[in-house]
Amino acid sequence: MLISNLMDILGTAAFAISGALAAFQKRLDIFGVLIITFATAIGGGTIRDVIIGNTPVSWMKDQQTISVIFGSYLLSLFFRKQLQYFPRKLAIFDAIGLGFATIVGVQKGLQVQLSPSICVALGMITGCFGGVLRDVILNEIPLVFRADIYASASLLGGALYVICLHIPLPPDTASTLAVATVVGIRLAAMQFKWNLPEV
Amino acid sequence: MLISNLMDILGTAAFAISGALAAFQKRLDIFGVLIITFATAIGGGTIRDVIIGNTPVSWMKDQQTISVIFGSYLLSLFFRKQLQYFPRKLAIFDAIGLGFATIVGVQKGLQVQLSPSICVALGMITGCFGGVLRDVILNEIPLVFRADIYASASLLGGALYVICLHIPLPPDTASTLAVATVVGIRLAAMQFKWNLPEV
Amino acid sequence: MLISNLMDILGTAAFAISGALAAFQKRLDIFGVLIITFATAIGGGTIRDVIIGNTPVSWMKDQQTISVIFGSYLLSLFFRKQLQYFPRKLAIFDAIGLGFATIVGVQKGLQVQLSPSICVALGMITGCFGGVLRDVILNEIPLVFRADIYASASLLGGALYVICLHIPLPPDTASTLAVATVVGIRLAAMQFKWNLPEV
């Protein structure tokens, strides 16, 4: 539980920092950066909660998420220059964030009795749409639609999770396997420059 | 019922294909095209369901919509080149999609006892905001705000539907008349190059 | 009550007019301008209602808001040229709108028992996200993230409101003080060209 919570915090923080780093490129004021940081970190979960009707949305009922994001924002501001020197470590956090967000998204869908394929889609929305929101607000075509394997890793991990629960494996085993799959595929895709074909 | 369902499928498919065609222009990977295809086809209904509180939103409870969109996506990918040669036939499907989406939107509003003018607005949101979402994600000013008569056709058809129900005409007659009006105005606008004045 | 309602109308109208003025720059047709006008005026409240689960969202249940926005739209169209000559008066209305929207947003959050800091965030979302939506649809990086003190004024006013209620001051005193604070900070920021630092 402690480790799971720690990973969750790391995931949220990584998403937040990726938002702050993107905002730094755009000459926003410090408040604009704060909003982009929040939108990136909570965007996916917010869209998920809104379309399944889980309102007020999760971050409104949870002081920890807010604190983690705000802390990440302050860290990003103060260590702005240093952050540029370890993009790879950030990418590892981001992959962990993607893995956890995906599984949480699938779980929320299962809780409201949605069909398995919809739950997998919901996992992907949770994992990816914070980044989509960040890019749309910053007036870019979303990176996730152009970058190497990202949303696909989320879909595969989500599908694996649903299959594992169906076997059934114990929930903890299923989620560990699924998170590891998302993180593994994502990191391998970056390492070996896997890409989906362009059309 | 069979015909209405067939038309519904054609409408969804046409919206999906228009999304895929727009995404092809943007050098996305095959997954990015898939997301744009979905966003275009279900965006309007999703926004409608979210603002009236009909959650989980419709497509999450309905396997047919998902299957139709996914099929349209595959068709668009495989017949990409051929699709360019019949833009007019696509536009006819798209007009039919607009007609059906509009009336479905108005009906959903009436079901939750919203006032007639709000229901007409809801019909327009259902018909047009998938395209708005598509264009916003693809970093374009929404076509629907610039193109020839489109949203206006939806508003007129929605208003006619509400009036017909108020007379009262039988619901089936009302919806047939209204869909025909939307499709007719839309196609006439394209044929005769009607435009709203720019400001 | 009469004065509060009058101010509410002025606030909504100012938001609507600012939307119309932004849309005029983009060569949209008259319908596109109408949609941008609506999105600017009701966007913040819509996002607020959706994330707290207050659906159907407020403007769907309230004929006055719709009428005020539509009237503002017509005024903007007819007096388009003249509006350019008094941007400062418009900015005063807009600041009043920001003040009222902020306090209404905080109140809605308190009604559903959200924590004080979340309520302050909700006030800011209500006040600012109509403008964010306007800019995202018009394909601009949101002004609110770049301009002089705007969202910050909303946050300060919202925080003051929560503190005043906690003392406790009477609700009317608290909201009057808070609205005055938002408007005062916003106008002072424009007058003296206060800006948050860029990063």
Side-chain angles (χ1 to χ4, degrees), chain A residues 112-169:
Chain A
V112 291
Q113 267 88 41
L114 296 170
S115 72
S117 61
I118 297 292
C119 292
V120 172
L122 206 54
M124 185 275 290
I125 289 171
T126 308
C128 299
F129 272 57
V132 171
L133 208 59
R134 174 197 65 210
D135 293 342
V136 165
I137 296 180
L138 290 177
N139 207 7
E140 308 265 2
I141 293 183
L143 184 66
V144 63
F145 299 162
R146 293 177 289 128
D148 39 8
I149 310 288
Y150 191 96
S152 326
S154 170
L155 285 177
L156 285 172
L160 180 69
Y161 180 65
V162 167
I163 292 167
C164 287
L165 289 181
H166 190 75
I167 291 181
L169 296 186

Side-chain angles (χ1 to χ4, degrees), chain A residues 29-31 55-57 63 80 139, chain C residues 51 53 117 139 145 151 197 199:
Chain A
D29 65 31
I30 54 173
F31 183 81
T55 51
V57 299
Q63 212 66 39
R80 204 188 145 177
N139 207 7
Chain C
I51 64 180
S117 60
N139 207 6
F145 299 163
V199 291

